[in-house]
Each structure stands twice: as structure tokens, then as C-alpha cells.
Amino acid sequence: MPQRDMPGLDEVVATEDRYDSGVYPKQPLVLTHGKGARLWDTQGNQYIDCVGGHGVANVGHAHPAVVKAVTDQVGRLLTAPNGFYNDRRAQLLAELVRLAPGDLERAYFCNSGAEAVEAALKFARLSTGRRNIISTMRGFHGRTMGALSATWQKRYRKPFEPLVPGFEFVPYDRLERMAEVVNEETAAVIVEVVQGEGGVNPASPNYLQGVRELCRDQGALLIVDEVQTGFGRTGRMFACQHYDLEPDLMCVAKAMAGGVPMGAVLLGPRVGELPKKVHGSTFGGNPLSCAAALATIEVIESEDLPQRAGRLGQKLMDGLRAIDSPMIREVRGLGLMVGLQLKEHAGPYLAELAEPVEGMGVLALTAGSTVMRFLPPLVISDTDVDFVVRRVAGVLHD
């Protein structure tokens, strides 16, 4: 089959706009390839990627080890349902339990963070025989009906109501308010160690430990959502390890398989045994995703990416805090999960940040309307961090 020339920006944009569902707001960029923490578009412009696939690309784009693992596995075996055993799946299960905090001892595989949250909520209700779930204000856990029921923002929830009953929201990082609602009818509390979509808000250690104790005292389960914070992003393999926090269920996804879709729920002994066929996933734990995840974990550990994330995240926050601009309210975060809160809507500043200067732009996210969110690959260089700070300073001073 003859190969077509690469379509230009206008053709790609027109085709996506014509046939796509329309649910995604898009920037007018056509990204074609990436390497490490850099992306390129059809015009040949480079971008420092501080979106990272919404926190997916922790080991960077096109990492050779992940590329090789995926390529080798494609030629070996793509799919094997969970009704059979598989060597790659067995390896990954053992690796996750080795890495997991506390006494998490088993894992359920799925395809995304929302699916992981869905499974954790179902397992909690099944295990405890209770129905009530406590979540937090500004928390984000996904867009499927169960995960959305645990997600606070009205703009996500309102179009799909009525949602799943039995969910209640309390202020984040307010232990006294959590203590008012956790009781003998609570199946689980679900919490992020660092709220991502809600504004990049790290929790205080006393809060997280207090929530755990409340769950233990009342017979509820603690679900920790590490979908965005997991696999080195915050300076530890998992963010709860900063706080010696031991969840009963832990949801992971995003960076788990280096860009190949994958999610999981890790389960502790308080969950108990789960009945056969109570839940399932056709693609969950398929050999391709497992091979990619095994390679990704090897890269994270062998290149010491959590330590790198801690160092460069502090450098990025220090650089942003040093910017002398009346626009800045606060810089906060943990590792390479950084939020820059502005006094105005952040969207126009992010658009300007993305505009290439001498062929180089910076791609970043919002977290709420006024927060710039930076989630670069953990392989980002010191030089690129310096460039990001300079570009942000230039945009905020213009």
C-alpha cells in the first residue's frame, strides 16, 4: 500500500472536527511525535510537555525500554482473558504487591483510572455490606457513573443526574468534618493524597492518618486514589508513602504502563475474599499492557525517577515562587505535580505559554479555572525546567 504524505494541520483539524464526538475542547496543535519530555507538531515546532498525557508519560515519550517491551509482546501474545493464567500478568501482579505500601496483597486489573475507582467502590460495598461512600469537595475520581458520583464538581455531575445514591461530600483536609460523617453505615472513604483536578492541593499528614483511624474505628474501608500521583510523580513511588499511609484499597492507572492504557486496584486484607465473577474486564491485565507496565516499572526504578521528580519538582516550585508578578497567588504541589494559582483565569496565559518562541513552546494544563498545572515527564531536564520558569515569567509579565 503506498504511503500518504503526512497530512497538514488544517487537514487534521478539519477531519477531527468533522468526525470526533465533540466532547473535548482542543488547542489548535497537531502533535505528531515525541521523545522524552519533548513533543513536535506538524509545523516542526517543539514543545516542552508539561501535560504528560494528564500525568501518563512519567517515563517520557518513546522510551526505548517501553518501545521494545511493547514491540516484543505484540509479536508474542496480545490478549489472554482472565479465565486463563498468563506469565506477564503473574509477573506484574507480583511486582505491584512488592512495590505497594502497607499490607496491600492482591490486585485487580482494568483499563483506566475511572474503571479502577468503579471497581474499588464496588469492592468496598461488597466487602462491608454497606452502601454509603464519603468523598471530598474538589475531589476528582473519574467520569463513569460510579466514579462521577464520587466526583465533586457540579459541571461534571449535573448533566447526568440522578447519579448513584449513597455518596456524601465533606471539605478536603478537614478532619473534624470527616469525623462528623464517618459512621457504622459508611462503606468507604475515598480520598486523593494530592488533589489534581481540584487545584493541586496536598493533604496534611495528620488529616490522612486521621481519616485512616476513623475508617478503622467505624469498620469502613479507606480507598486512596493514586491515579495521578502514582509511579513516581510526587517523589515516591506512591504519594501515600510520604505519609506512611496504608490504604485498604488503592487505585492506580495513568503512568502505570508508560502510555498503554491500564489501571488497577490494589487490595488489602480488610477487603476480604471476593466472590468469583463479581466483577470483570475483557482487556484488564492483557499481556501487552502488562509487558508495558513491567518495562515502565523497571525504568522508574533503574533511573530513580521518583528521586528525580522530587528534586526537579522542588526546582520548578522554587523557580515559580521567585517570579515577581502580582498575578501569582500561590505555588503548591508535591514532586513534579505542581500548581501555580493565579488571580485571574489561567486559560489565556496557558494559550500564550504554548505559542512557540524561537520554535519552542510549553504545554501545561488548568486545574480549576485559576490554576496552571504542570505534570511533565519525570525525565524532564534541568535545562527544560529553567526554560519553563522563564516562559511563565515572560507570560505573566507581558
Side-chain angles (χ1 to χ4, degrees):
M1 176 181 290
Q3 289 197 347
R4 292 184 58 195
D5 293 336
M6 181 182 296
L9 183 148
D10 291 342
E11 181 181 349
V12 173
V13 169
T15 301
E16 285 210 22
D17 285 347
R18 169 66 179 83
Y19 297 109
D20 188 67
S21 65
V23 301
Y24 297 105
K26 300 189 181 190
Q27 297 187 48
L29 301 176
V30 178
L31 303 176
T32 60
H33 59 288
K35 185 70 174 177
R38 299 285 183 94
L39 292 166
W40 284 261
D41 68 11
T42 50
Q43 311 305 304
N45 296 309
Q46 288 191 56
Y47 301 89
I48 298 174
D49 181 13
C50 291
V51 174
H54 293 262
V56 168
N58 281 15
V59 300
H61 300 284
H63 194 288
V66 178
V67 171
K68 184 178 187 305
V70 170
T71 303
D72 290 349
Q73 190 62 43
V74 164
R76 187 168 180 254
L77 182 66
L78 274 174
T79 187
N82 283 278
F84 302 92
Y85 294 94
N86 175 258
D87 55 341
R88 292 289 184 262
R89 188 186 305 130
Q91 286 178 275
L92 183 57
L93 286 166
E95 278 292 277
L96 285 179
V97 171
R98 176 182 69 83
L99 293 170
D103 53 6
L104 298 173
E105 58 187 5
R106 297 169 290 157
Y108 165 84
F109 287 139
C110 53
N111 308 291
S112 69
E115 286 186 41
V117 169
E118 290 278 344
L121 297 173
K122 291 176 73 173
F123 295 159
R125 283 185 166 182
L126 185 68
S127 173
T128 63
R130 306 173 182 181
R131 55 168 283 181
N132 292 347
I133 307 290
I134 310 301
S135 189
T136 63
M137 295 178 181
R138 301 190 180 277
F140 182 87
H141 301 288
R143 293 181 171 90
T144 53
M145 291 297 279
L148 185 58
S149 300
T151 293
W152 181 74
Q153 290 96 328
K154 290 183 180 179
R155 65 190 175 99
Y156 296 131
R157 297 168 56 86
K158 190 68 175 176
F160 305 104
E161 292 177 342
L163 297 172
V164 179
F167 288 78
E168 184 173 356
F169 296 93
V170 296
Y172 185 69
D173 210 22
R174 295 274 299 278
L175 185 59
E176 73 280 5
R177 295 295 299 276
M178 185 69 75
E180 293 172 1
V181 297
V182 178
N183 56 40
E184 67 278 0
E185 297 180 355
T186 303
V189 173
I190 182 167
V191 66
E192 297 163 277
V193 179
V194 183
Q195 289 186 327
E197 184 81 11
V200 192
N201 301 305
S204 61
N206 289 343
Y207 170 73
L208 293 171
Q209 289 294 342
V211 172
R212 173 180 163 79
E213 291 307 312
L214 285 172
C215 289
R216 293 296 174 101
D217 291 345
Q218 296 294 337
L221 298 176
L222 175 60
I223 303 172
V224 172
D225 182 340
E226 291 252 13
V227 170
Q228 190 166 113
T229 54
F231 298 98
R233 167 66 52 190
T234 67
R236 300 289 298 272
M237 185 63 77
F238 300 105
C240 59
Q241 292 171 319
H242 289 281
Y243 303 91
D244 294 324
L245 181 66
E246 298 183 3
D248 298 305
L249 301 103
M250 186 171 75
C251 302
V252 295
K254 287 193 182 291
M256 182 177 180
V260 177
M262 192 172 200
V265 183
L266 281 82
L267 312 168
R270 294 185 70 230
V271 177
E273 293 298 317
L274 298 171
K276 304 294 184 187
K277 297 187 177 181
V278 72
H279 194 51
S281 171
T282 297
F283 292 104
N286 69 81
L288 179 64
S289 298
C290 290
L294 286 164
T296 299
I297 291 169
E298 169 63 24
V299 169
I300 291 171
E301 291 195 306
S302 65
E303 298 186 11
D304 201 6
L305 295 187
Q307 184 277 334
R308 185 180 183 84
R311 180 180 67 81
L312 290 177
Q314 190 61 55
K315 178 175 182 172
L316 177 57
M317 285 190 281
D318 288 345
L320 295 174
R321 287 173 180 143
I323 296 173
D324 182 15
S325 170
M327 287 297 304
I328 297 175
R329 286 188 182 275
E330 185 182 9
V331 177
R332 56 183 180 260
L334 190 62
L336 279 171
M337 185 175 181
V338 177
L340 172 62
Q341 185 168 21
L342 304 180
K343 295 179 181 179
E344 299 179 3
H345 198 288
Y349 296 100
L350 288 180
E352 187 176 348
L353 197 65
E355 293 178 5
V357 175
E358 297 181 359
M360 179 76 79
V362 175
L363 305 181
L365 296 161
T366 56
S369 62
T370 62
V371 177
M372 289 184 178
R373 181 171 31 153
F374 299 88
L375 298 171
L378 310 188
V379 296
I380 190 172
S381 68
D382 285 79
T383 301
D384 282 356
V385 170
D386 291 337
F387 183 86
V388 170
V389 172
R390 289 197 303 273
R391 286 289 291 124
V392 171
V395 166
L396 295 183
H397 281 301
D398 288 344

